Amino acid sequence: MDEINKKKEYLCGQKKTETMVPEKYVRFDWAVKTLLRDKANFGVLEGLVSVILNENITIVELLESESNRVGFEDKYNRVDIKAKNSKDEIILVEVQQASESDFLSRILYGTSKSIVEHIGIGDDYGKVKKVYSINIVYFNFGKGSDYLYHGQTSFVGVNTHDKLRITRKQHNALKICTPEEIFPEYYIVRVNQYDKPEDEAGTPLEEWLDYLKNGRIKDGTTTPGLSKAAEKLQYMMMSREEQQQYFRYMDHVKFERNAMETSRLEGLTEGVEKGLSEGVEIGRAEGMEIGRAEGENKKNIEVARKMLAEGLDISLIIKITGLTEEDIKG
């Protein structure tokens, strides 16, 4: 308690900035980059993965990952963590802030790379590891009304529509019953799609989403991982050095987000201006064409009426000019 009070006094003496008064709990992307890499905090990650996969997961170690660097300037908009569970399976958890046009291709590459990295040269293919790719995205990815999407590989009969299963002999060799059990599985958590109030977060997954989106954890929660998150991810429990790193990280996140939003707005403005300019030119050309056509039609009517006044048969005038009797007689 004294340590917390000291940290409060330290903060009160600091110059206030926009990120000076943080939420009670640190952001999950920051936790993935720093705190959750400590084995003592594996329980937080285990809880999240267990809720998403709907089975109890035990993480035994973290593996090398392309975003293992801690510096806040390193890939602020994408952080990931790679772990091995007690079944010797690989779990990739990635948090991404910014939109990416080739997002699906990249997560496919990530799982494929993990498979290749964790099979030795000369090993038989039976040692290929199952990979779960969990992607927590804070941008509006795809179209859909749900906040959690699951994808896996199935082999379905083209004519019979039944799912292909494994024979007993193959089961004894591979220890699986269906192809789905060996092929990678993908989970996409669309955080922005979650919009329930705090008091309506009833399921474990909804409680996790409330934390991921709003930084809130219910008092006395029993949701796997969140009780440990409430204990381990409190801002006030971090060391002074960690707090300063967190400030710098949040400032960098804000700067990058503003830069991207500025670029987006500038692109939108440029597009609107170009569209208006092109629209004016097109409108002017179309207006001139319409005016020319209307002028020619008016002239044809005048000529036709003169022909009629001279006693020319109206059926002949219609055939020559292409006008209707109503146009000629007015």
Side-chain angles (χ1 to χ4, degrees):
M1 194 66 183
D2 289 339
E3 181 63 20
I4 292 178
N5 289 332
K6 287 179 182 177
K7 288 175 179 174
K8 286 181 178 178
E9 291 171 2
Y10 163 72
L11 283 178
C12 291
Q14 289 281 329
K15 179 182 177 181
K16 296 285 190 297
T17 67
E18 193 165 345
T19 58
M20 200 62 232
V21 184
E23 299 289 341
K24 182 177 180 180
Y25 303 106
V26 297
R27 287 165 49 115
F28 188 71
D29 49 346
W30 167 258
V32 167
K33 231 174 168 36
T34 56
L35 306 177
L36 298 189
R37 298 183 185 278
D38 185 339
K39 190 169 184 176
N41 298 332
F42 280 4
V44 177
L45 194 62
E46 287 173 345
L48 173 62
V49 175
S50 296
V51 166
I52 292 177
L53 270 55
N54 198 27
E55 64 173 289
N56 291 326
I57 298 295
T58 300
I59 292 175
V60 295
E61 66 173 305
L62 295 188
L63 305 170
E64 282 301 312
S65 171
E66 66 175 21
S67 296
N68 269 356
R69 294 174 296 173
V70 173
F72 67 88
E73 65 280 357
D74 297 330
K75 298 182 182 176
Y76 101 93
N77 65 348
R78 176 163 59 88
V79 294
D80 61 27
I81 194 166
K82 182 162 64 171
K84 183 171 73 173
N85 67 12
S86 56
K87 297 179 182 179
D88 207 30
E89 299 167 328
I90 298 172
I91 298 173
L92 300 173
V93 179
E94 182 172 297
V95 185
Q96 181 149 336
Q97 301 287 340
S99 178
E100 190 171 7
S101 59
D102 59 353
F103 173 70
L104 289 176
S105 299
R106 190 177 51 70
I107 64 175
L108 172 61
Y109 171 79
T111 57
S112 303
K113 183 180 179 186
S114 294
I115 291 171
V116 172
E117 286 178 341
H118 294 283
I119 184 170
I121 297 175
D123 284 347
D124 61 70
Y125 295 123
K127 293 187 178 180
V128 166
K129 296 184 184 297
K130 169 82 171 186
V131 178
Y132 294 95
S133 175
I134 298 173
N135 303 273
I136 301 170
V137 299
Y138 285 84
F139 58 94
N140 295 324
F141 172 75
K143 292 182 179 180
S145 57
D146 209 334
Y147 44 74
L148 177 64
Y149 284 85
H150 175 217
Q152 60 184 158
T153 301
S154 296
F155 293 87
V156 180
V158 175
N159 300 300
T160 60
H161 306 295
D162 64 317
K163 282 191 175 182
L164 184 68
R165 298 183 63 81
I166 302 300
T167 66
R168 182 177 297 277
K169 181 179 179 181
Q170 292 162 340
H171 169 73
N172 291 336
L174 300 174
K175 308 303 181 187
I176 61 173
C177 295
T178 64
E180 291 92 328
E181 294 176 57
I182 189 64
F183 280 84
E185 292 188 37
Y186 299 89
Y187 292 83
I188 297 178
V189 183
R190 301 164 75 223
V191 178
N192 291 346
Q193 192 66 30
Y194 180 77
D195 60 359
K196 287 189 176 183
E198 183 178 10
D199 57 357
E200 292 185 18
T203 68
L205 179 59
E206 288 173 347
E207 284 195 40
W208 261 104
L209 277 158
D210 194 41
Y211 163 61
L212 293 174
K213 184 174 183 178
N214 304 309
R216 300 184 299 221
I217 300 177
K218 287 183 179 179
D219 291 337
T221 182
T222 58
T223 290
L226 279 183
S227 56
K228 289 190 176 295
E231 173 190 350
K232 303 287 187 178
L233 305 187
Q234 288 191 42
Y235 173 81
M236 296 304 301
M237 295 303 295
M238 294 195 305
S239 68
R240 183 174 300 187
E241 181 181 356
E242 288 171 334
Q243 290 174 351
Q244 290 173 341
Q245 287 178 348
Y246 186 60
F247 278 145
R248 292 196 298 272
Y249 176 80
M250 291 301 295
D251 284 338
H252 191 74
V253 167
K254 179 187 171 188
F255 172 79
E256 292 291 342
R257 183 182 295 148
N258 287 344
M260 285 190 293
E261 181 64 15
T262 299
S263 297
R264 187 186 72 82
L265 291 175
E266 286 176 351
L268 181 62
T269 301
E270 183 179 341
V272 169
E273 290 176 349
K274 183 178 180 181
L276 287 173
S277 176
E278 291 178 351
V280 169
E281 291 300 319
I282 292 172
R284 182 182 292 116
E286 289 180 349
M288 290 174 65
E289 185 62 31
I290 292 171
R292 185 182 300 110
E294 289 180 349
E296 290 178 355
N297 189 57
K298 185 177 180 181
K299 185 176 181 181
N300 285 341
I301 292 173
E302 289 176 358
V303 171
R305 286 175 179 173
K306 286 181 180 180
M307 294 168 69
L308 185 64
E310 291 293 330
L312 200 63
D313 186 72
I314 192 166
S315 60
L316 182 58
I317 297 172
I318 292 172
K319 187 175 181 181
I320 294 171
T321 63
L323 297 170
T324 65
E325 184 177 347
E326 185 181 352
D327 290 333
I328 296 170
K329 292 185 174 180

